[in-house]
Each structure stands twice: as structure tokens, then as C-alpha cells.
Amino acid sequence: MSGQTTFRRGDRALDWAGLVPSALLLLAFIRDYRHGGSFGWPLAGALVVLASLWQVYRGASRRRRGAGRAS
């Protein structure tokens, strides 16, 4: 049973860990835009952050649905 708990914690950590590189990309794209780059870069960075947040939401709902079946 502890193996399954460890897996769930790792799964959750990986979902949240995706936000770190996407936020760093967004910051880099905003910096490039401020230095004369295209407006598409910050827009693309925002879409990547939204995709990461969507993955966190999907993982949380998947874990909630699966919690009742695991016993």
C-alpha cells in the first residue's frame, strides 16, 4: 500500500514540477519581448503555462476519481 502512495505522490510532484520550466520560459519570453522581440513569444509562453496548469488539474481530478476504486 505504501508503494501506491509513493507513486501517487511522485505523480503529483511531476504534475506540479512542469510549472517550473513553463514559468521560466514565460519569463524568458517576456524578457525577449521587452527587448524588441515578437509579441508571439509571451503569448506562446502563456499558452505553455496554461497547458501545465491544465495538466495539474487533470491529474488532480484523475486521482480523485481513482481514489474510490483503489481500495
Side-chain angles (χ1 to χ4, degrees):
M1 185 157 175
S2 68
Q4 188 177 29
T5 307
T6 304
F7 175 76
R8 285 189 181 178
R9 285 182 185 167
D11 192 31
R12 185 180 312 132
L14 285 175
D15 286 346
W16 283 98
L19 282 172
V20 174
S22 63
L24 291 175
L25 274 175
L26 177 61
L27 292 175
F29 291 160
I30 289 173
R31 186 189 63 215
D32 287 347
Y33 172 68
R34 287 183 179 173
H35 289 113
S38 171
F39 179 70
W41 288 116
L43 185 63
L47 289 175
V48 170
V49 169
L50 287 175
S52 295
L53 287 172
W54 180 60
Q55 179 61 35
V56 169
Y57 172 75
R58 280 188 58 208
S61 66
R62 182 180 63 234
R63 283 186 291 277
R64 266 188 304 235
R65 271 187 284 135
R69 292 187 220 156
S71 37

